[in-house]
Amino acid sequence: MASGVYRVPLGAALPFLVLGGLPGLAAAQEVLPEIVVQAQRPAPPRPAAAPAAQPKNDLASVNTKFDMARDNLSPRFGASSFDMNRAFIETLPQGTDAPINSVLLQAPGVAQDSAVNGDIHVRNEHANVQYRINGIILPDGISGFGHVLDTSFVGSLALITGALPAQFGLRTAGIVDIQTKSGNSLQPGGSIGIYGGSFGTLTPSFDYGGRSGNTEYFVTGRGFTSNLGIENPTDSYNAIHDRTYQGNFFSYTSTVLDPQTRVSTIFGNTTNRFQIPNNPGQAPGFTAFGVSNFDSSLLNEHQAEQNTFGVLALQKSVNGLDFQLAAFSRYSTLHFVPDTIGDLVFNGIASDVYRRGFANGLQGDGAYKLNDAHTLRAGFTVTGESTQNSNISTVLPLDAFGNPIDAPFTVTDNNSKLGWVAGVYLQDEWKVTNQLTLNVGLRFDQMWQYVDANQLSPRFNVVYKPLDGTTLHAGYARYFTPPPQAIAAPAAIAPFANTTAQPDTFQQSPVLPERAHYFDAGIVQKITPQLEVGLDAYYKISRDLLDDGQFGAALILSGFNYEKAYNSGVELSATYKDGNFSAYGNLAWARQVATNVVSNQYLFGADELAYIASNYINTDHAQQWTGSAGASYLWQGTRFSASMVYGSGLRSGFANTDHVAPYATANIGISREIAVPDGKPVTVRFDVVNVFDTIYELRDGSGIGVFAPQFGMRRGFFAGISKKL
């Protein structure tokens, strides 16, 4: 599908990008985000050599040229791209206080799942989303990035989908491409603020950027606490036992060493603590430690997550060649602590679960303009990851008749692995005519993990512009997707025989990489100078489709494969801008079906496993209709904004044969920048989330890999104030 791009001309964009705060009132009155739908972004020209010396007032333009060269290394040629610059993000309700997953829900074909916990589905895929910062891949962690990446450091954000060029591999359902803010200003500055409201929410934050010599820098930090850390399992307004404490820190530096060389660093750290919310009124099923009557509202489960990542990148532009070499690292841990007695009484098992992942790697990308018609690009990536899975499970034995005995004992399961994933690609962008461009590439990926496998993957894209205002694109991609190593680790299931945690089957085939053929085509048409529309369609044929689910109380996923799967969809988008008013809307239809579970079969009940073996079923994350829309209007210096999200419901029931009820939620916001005597304005905002207090269910506790019900956030009122420094 064609995508919306939100652009601001460079001169108007600098206040957004360099000061680290909200835009000034005058700038806001003159500049609104320009919304354009496009299917691909043309590669920017290679930057000219910077001057030998870098006066302070020239450093900004030099870094801009380096940024353009870096962008040229990984063009989105022929893919669908929905771009949101900082100006657009700040016009949404909640602005930069909204989590990244909420911002991504405004893109076409993105469905929410565990919205508070950060899960999204792109084009009906489960996970399989790759995150990049300044063109550099962030390696998989134990948990997703929903609580790891903070919107405040984003300079621009894009979701790239479709038949991707060869430089995009491994995670291919969607590429979340983030360009960071920088300290690219003549004078240092930033902002400090606080935001909060309903559900005991409080979010203090700061950011600061500047330069020292030829080095620009930017840092940001945010705290977050709330009584709604994870989705409420009931439809009540307040959840029980759901407090969370979270903290994020991010830094970026960029140093120009000489006219052809720049070195950049990225560092991020997130620490999150969660209470697991309780569902009152549950009926006990077992007797443990002499307890047979337990109030489920008093369960006391906890989960802690920590993620740290860092990047060191060297960028070079010399003799017609642009390249970037980056070393990256990510360390992540997750620890779930059960309520031993309570979990045994209700579930027959209480597991203390610890997972750790430490990944290190190198990524290189290069581009060379051979002549006016051909631009060659090539690159590689290699990642080594050490994972550790530890489970200490308390269970009850069964007697000869299958009845539980109140004699709890523990089963310990430890598993560690050092695995590797590597990939290399080569592609040629061929400008056949001024209207027709082809991009042909080849990619090879190899994995050495619990399963060793590889694949050679061709890529082909064509973009044709027959008329001004009309762009057509089509493409084919062969995809190879290794499972995240942590969720593919085999479990010791034999010790659970004759216990209350005994599976229906002890079959445990290894988790395999997914292989797929992907077809995508679309058109973008400018109807009037104010209105642009796009239509995109895709079809995917998968072998060993990767999926995962939560099969226990811990918010930890276990992976499995379906032997065959088909995924198809159509996405429609439209954007409109006229003066101080701008609006957008997206509607997507999608269907993903799969059959025959071929790995980790022990996770399934015997009846469900047999049914799936002989029938195509909807995957649990498949949603038939997904929509989003928004509008913004600047009136005499005050910004009014609104957004909405629609979903026809994720799957539920035996073998996902049903789905939860459709829902639609709307948010509104108002913000204004106020001048103060020191010339550094104050911004105030007020937002209402779920304006109509819609009670909607994301999950009902049934379906494959669904452990508990999850309801979306009820109506919340939030206010904030920030001050530029």
Side-chain angles (χ1 to χ4, degrees):
M1 152 186 180
S3 53
V5 173
Y6 300 79
R7 282 197 302 251
V8 178
L10 179 60
L14 285 177
F16 297 97
L17 298 176
V18 304
L19 295 180
L22 294 176
L25 176 59
Q29 290 173 323
E30 297 173 1
V31 180
L32 278 175
E34 179 188 1
I35 307 175
V36 180
V37 180
Q38 71 173 27
Q40 57 90 27
R41 180 174 57 188
R46 192 181 67 82
Q54 304 299 337
K56 281 191 174 183
N57 58 355
D58 287 342
L59 186 61
S61 62
V62 172
N63 275 298
T64 298
K65 292 176 181 178
F66 274 115
D67 290 345
M68 293 173 65
R70 182 180 63 201
D71 199 41
N72 185 41
L73 297 175
S74 300
R76 309 164 190 178
F77 189 91
S80 296
S81 177
F82 188 85
D83 288 50
M84 296 166 276
N85 67 4
R86 190 166 185 84
F88 168 72
I89 294 173
E90 289 174 341
T91 63
L92 292 173
Q94 297 192 285
T96 56
D97 290 296
I100 277 184
N101 61 301
S102 295
V103 175
L104 289 171
L105 287 176
Q106 304 309 310
V110 180
Q112 67 173 324
D113 185 359
S114 301
V116 175
N117 202 33
D119 290 341
I120 59 172
H121 302 298
V122 177
R123 291 190 165 185
N124 267 358
E125 300 275 3
H126 195 313
N128 195 22
V129 174
Q130 179 183 129
Y131 288 80
R132 290 186 170 216
I133 296 181
N134 294 341
I136 300 165
I137 300 171
L138 295 183
D140 292 326
I142 299 302
S143 59
F145 284 92
H147 286 294
V148 176
L149 301 179
D150 180 36
T151 312
S152 62
F153 73 78
V154 174
S156 64
L157 172 68
L159 178 65
I160 310 168
T161 57
L164 303 174
Q167 74 268 16
F168 298 116
L170 306 180
R171 304 285 170 256
T172 52
I175 310 296
V176 179
D177 187 21
I178 298 171
Q179 303 297 318
T180 62
K181 291 177 63 179
S182 69
N184 207 356
S185 61
L186 295 178
Q187 298 295 329
S191 66
I192 186 170
I194 191 165
Y195 184 80
S198 299
F199 312 107
T201 301
L202 187 64
T203 306
S205 62
F206 77 92
D207 60 72
Y208 194 83
R211 64 174 63 173
S212 176
N214 282 354
T215 298
E216 65 173 31
Y217 59 89
F218 175 77
V219 296
T220 180
R222 180 181 297 272
F224 177 81
T225 184
S226 172
N227 292 326
L228 190 62
I230 298 170
E231 274 76 10
N232 193 342
T234 76
D235 62 1
S236 62
Y237 186 84
N238 293 306
I240 301 172
H241 191 261
D242 201 10
R243 192 72 181 168
T244 183
Y245 298 92
Q246 303 174 27
N248 296 73
F249 176 82
F250 178 86
S251 70
Y252 168 79
T253 69
S254 171
T255 302
V256 176
L257 300 181
D258 59 48
Q260 293 83 34
T261 311
R262 180 172 73 165
V263 172
S264 302
T265 67
I266 296 170
F267 175 80
N269 182 78
T270 301
T271 301
N272 301 327
R273 301 289 183 267
F274 299 96
Q275 294 178 332
I276 307 300
N278 296 334
N279 192 356
Q282 301 302 297
F286 304 92
T287 298
F289 298 100
V291 177
S292 59
N293 188 16
F294 197 107
D295 185 349
S296 60
S297 68
L298 300 179
L299 283 167
N300 189 24
E301 302 166 328
H302 297 266
Q303 186 157 307
E305 303 174 5
Q306 181 170 348
N307 290 272
T308 303
F309 61 91
V311 175
L312 175 63
L314 172 68
Q315 187 180 350
K316 195 81 172 178
S317 295
V318 59
N319 297 329
L321 173 67
D322 297 321
F323 72 86
Q324 179 171 265
L325 180 66
F328 54 82
S329 181
R330 172 169 171 166
Y331 178 82
S332 58
T333 62
L334 186 153
H335 187 197
F336 172 80
V337 179
D339 183 319
T340 302
I341 296 177
D343 283 10
L344 272 175
V345 168
F346 290 105
N347 304 320
I349 182 173
S351 295
D352 187 302
V353 181
Y354 176 80
R355 286 186 177 178
R356 175 188 60 80
F358 187 32
N360 297 278
L362 288 173
Q363 178 185 339
D365 299 280
Y368 182 73
K369 188 171 183 178
L370 196 62
N371 52 46
D372 290 341
H374 293 274
T375 299
L376 301 179
R377 294 183 176 88
F380 74 92
T381 180
V382 58
T383 304
E385 182 179 18
S386 171
T387 56
Q388 177 185 340
N389 290 8
S390 175
N391 302 279
I392 302 174
S393 301
T394 304
V395 295
L396 303 173
L398 303 178
D399 62 20
F401 301 99
N403 300 310
I405 303 171
D406 187 6
F409 68 98
T410 60
V411 175
T412 300
D413 176 15
N414 292 316
N415 186 292
S416 61
K417 180 72 174 179
L418 174 61
W420 295 85
V421 176
V424 61
Y425 70 89
L426 176 66
Q427 59 187 339
D428 177 26
E429 181 184 329
W430 178 19
K431 191 175 182 62
V432 182
T433 69
N434 289 334
Q435 291 77 35
L436 178 64
T437 307
L438 304 178
N439 193 74
V440 180
L442 198 62
R443 182 180 181 93
F444 178 79
D445 294 293
Q446 171 75 54
M447 59 177 285
W448 299 272
Q449 295 181 339
Y450 291 102
V451 171
D452 295 346
N454 59 61
Q455 181 174 288
L456 187 65
S457 305
R459 307 285 179 90
F460 177 82
N461 296 90
V462 57
V463 174
Y464 181 52
K465 300 180 179 180
L467 302 168
D468 287 342
T470 303
T471 301
L472 298 99
H473 76 279
Y476 163 79
R478 181 84 165 123
Y479 288 149
F480 176 80
T481 305
Q485 185 169 290
I487 73 167
I493 56 177
F496 292 99
N498 299 314
T499 73
T500 47
Q502 175 177 279
D504 283 2
T505 175
F506 285 84
Q507 186 177 3
Q508 188 186 27
S509 302
V511 181
L512 303 169
E514 178 183 330
R515 305 172 190 269
H517 299 277
Y518 200 104
F519 305 87
D520 182 274
I523 182 173
V524 179
Q525 181 64 55
K526 182 177 282 293
I527 307 298
T528 70
Q530 295 79 28
L531 176 64
E532 196 163 68
V533 298
L535 180 68
D536 199 83
Y538 61 90
Y539 185 70
K540 180 183 179 184
I541 306 169
S542 297
R543 182 83 174 184
D544 300 322
L545 174 72
L546 273 171
D547 202 348
D548 51 47
Q550 181 188 345
F551 293 91
L555 297 179
I556 296 174
L557 303 177
S558 298
F560 60 93
N561 299 95
Y562 293 103
E563 182 182 12
K564 297 178 183 178
Y566 299 92
N567 189 10
S568 57
V570 179
E571 297 171 342
L572 174 67
S573 66
T575 59
Y576 181 84
K577 181 183 182 302
D578 187 9
N580 286 353
F581 176 77
S582 60
Y584 64 92
N586 308 295
L587 182 65
W589 174 90
R591 181 173 183 262
Q592 185 181 70
V593 294
T595 187
N596 195 22
V597 177
V598 292
S599 64
N600 276 350
Q601 295 89 340
Y602 77 93
L603 296 170
F604 295 78
D607 53 349
E608 205 165 41
L609 200 62
Y611 182 86
I612 300 170
S614 56
N615 294 274
Y616 275 91
I617 67 164
N618 292 283
T619 55
D620 73 281
H621 46 271
Q623 180 167 270
Q624 189 171 26
W625 291 97
T626 301
S628 61
S632 172
Y633 182 65
L634 186 66
W635 179 72
Q636 297 185 358
T638 300
R639 172 84 61 188
F640 298 90
S641 59
S643 65
M644 65 84 62
V645 171
Y646 169 79
S648 60
L650 300 174
R651 307 305 301 187
S652 63
F654 174 81
N656 300 333
T657 51
D658 199 359
H659 65 85
V660 298
Y663 66 90
T665 61
N667 306 328
I668 59 173
I670 181 173
S671 63
R672 184 178 179 89
E673 196 171 75
I674 303 171
V676 294
D678 66 0
K680 297 179 179 179
V682 170
T683 299
V684 294
R685 68 176 309 118
F686 177 74
D687 304 296
V688 184
V689 176
N690 194 356
V691 175
F692 303 107
D693 198 21
T694 302
I695 298 176
Y696 64 103
E697 198 170 26
L698 295 170
R699 299 288 193 179
D700 67 0
S702 67
I704 295 171
V706 180
F707 183 77
Q710 295 174 327
F711 284 81
M713 179 189 291
R714 299 284 298 272
R715 180 168 53 211
F717 301 92
F718 303 92
I721 183 170
S722 63
K723 173 74 168 62
K724 286 187 178 179
L725 302 175

